[in-house]
Amino acid sequence: MFTPSKIRLEPTPPSLSEVDLSQCFVSKKHYKKALKHLQKRMLAVQQAYYHQGLRAIICVEGWDASGKGGAIRRLTERLDPRGYTVFPIAAPTASEQGKHYLYRFQSRLPAPGNIAIFDRSYYGRVLVERVEQFATEQEWQRAYQEINEFERMLSDDGVRIIKLFVHIDKQEQLTRFAARLSNPKKRWKLTDEDIRNREKWSEYEVAINDMFAYTSEVDRPWALIAGNYKWFARVQFLTAVVEGLEKDVDLTLPPIDPALVKLVNEELNKTGEKP
């Protein structure tokens, strides 16, 4: 009888204290060159996943104003929009609240050849829902195993799962909040709730590190992104995604279909054009 794969947590899970937030690029030219290279690799990955009917989920977590949206935009900038979907996850709707918290993610799983990107994810159960007491202690403690089993089920079914957390320090967050407030095009992103959440920074740090400890699985580890400098963060973000999706995947483009070549040549001959 076939049985599910074993859940193997990393013996030394990552921690926020390990992230060097001073890392940055020396020049914009260096950043642009690295970004362009990674975006080309990401496009090759997307084509491979499409042609081979592979599926992937990218979970993006991080502090408010850490640059998650900007990193996702750079990740998808050169991709075919038919092959991926970005799901911005906010508070559950009234109808979703009456269902298991994983329901709204189960209903958004990627089809063959597609990539689902969750801008915030089911890990909210052990982060904001834990800290803000939207979930009971029993509910969020139980969620670690539920999430591990959910991801194991998906992995066993062939879904590649990439998990990223974008980390910034408290002062950098405040600086970005102030910048948003002074920018009419970004002012809508800032709420009084964002400011209140800063009072619980230390509680969130504990919850985040617990999340790493209990859900960083050997085959589905967390990648921590140093987010204080946006250029560096975006390149580090794309590198983690591309390398994770490329692993053990044949990136060779499929051979051309001889029958299709014949049809095109026949049509070209009708118009007198050379093939």
Side-chain angles (χ1 to χ4, degrees), residues 227-274:
N228 266 20
Y229 295 91
K230 291 183 178 180
W231 292 351
F232 182 85
R234 291 164 185 168
V235 169
Q236 191 182 23
F237 184 99
L238 264 71
T239 299
V241 173
V242 171
E243 290 182 350
L245 294 180
E246 283 180 340
K247 187 178 180 181
D248 300 324
V249 172
D250 182 5
L251 300 178
T252 306
L253 290 174
I256 192 168
D257 182 355
L260 180 60
V261 173
K262 181 180 178 181
L263 284 174
V264 172
N265 286 339
E266 288 175 353
E267 288 300 309
L268 289 173
N269 288 334
K270 290 177 185 178
T271 62
E273 295 184 35
K274 292 183 179 181

Side-chain angles (χ1 to χ4, degrees), residues 87-253:
F87 297 104
I89 302 300
T93 64
S95 62
E96 289 171 338
Q97 286 177 347
K99 299 179 176 68
H100 192 278
Y101 69 95
L102 289 175
Y103 164 78
R104 58 181 176 151
F105 301 97
Q106 292 168 330
S107 61
R108 292 172 169 84
L109 296 178
N114 281 256
I115 299 171
I117 303 171
F118 292 115
D119 184 354
R120 297 199 184 278
S121 67
Y122 40 83
Y123 281 99
R125 187 68 158 192
V126 297
L127 294 176
V128 63
E129 292 185 38
R130 167 185 171 171
V131 176
E132 303 300 332
Q133 299 183 358
F134 297 142
T136 66
E137 185 173 1
Q138 183 185 53
E139 288 173 335
W140 63 256
Q141 288 188 355
R142 191 180 69 216
Y144 297 120
Q145 182 174 339
E146 292 173 340
I147 290 171
N148 284 332
E149 291 175 347
F150 177 57
E151 291 185 342
R152 173 177 62 180
M153 175 188 71
L154 294 173
S155 291
D156 286 353
D157 197 43
V159 180
R160 182 65 55 87
I161 301 174
I162 309 296
K163 305 185 294 193
L164 308 105
F165 188 92
V166 187
H167 182 39
I168 56 175
D169 62 37
K170 196 173 183 180
Q171 182 56 48
E172 177 62 22
Q173 184 191 62
L174 184 59
T175 299
R176 294 184 185 183
F177 280 172
R180 285 182 177 183
L181 193 62
S182 62
N183 186 338
K185 294 182 179 179
K186 293 186 177 182
R187 197 172 294 158
W188 62 272
K189 293 184 177 183
L190 186 63
T191 67
D192 53 356
E193 184 177 332
D194 295 329
I195 306 302
R196 286 197 301 269
N197 286 347
R198 287 173 55 80
E199 299 175 3
K200 299 180 180 179
W201 187 276
S202 59
E203 294 178 53
Y204 274 102
E205 285 183 320
V206 172
I208 292 163
N209 283 325
D210 281 350
M211 177 182 72
F212 298 150
Y214 299 129
T215 66
S216 196
E217 210 270 350
V218 171
D219 294 321
R220 299 175 292 276
W222 278 97
L224 273 62
I225 309 301
N228 266 20
Y229 295 91
K230 291 183 178 180
W231 292 351
F232 182 85
R234 291 164 185 168
V235 169
Q236 191 182 23
F237 184 99
L238 264 71
T239 299
V241 173
V242 171
E243 290 182 350
L245 294 180
E246 283 180 340
K247 187 178 180 181
D248 300 324
V249 172
D250 182 5
L251 300 178
T252 306
L253 290 174

Side-chain angles (χ1 to χ4, degrees), residues 61-80:
E61 295 288 350
W63 298 97
D64 292 333
S66 60
K68 299 183 297 298
I72 291 172
R73 283 197 301 276
R74 272 69 183 184
L75 176 70
T76 60
E77 197 168 24
R78 296 178 181 272
L79 300 183
D80 186 325

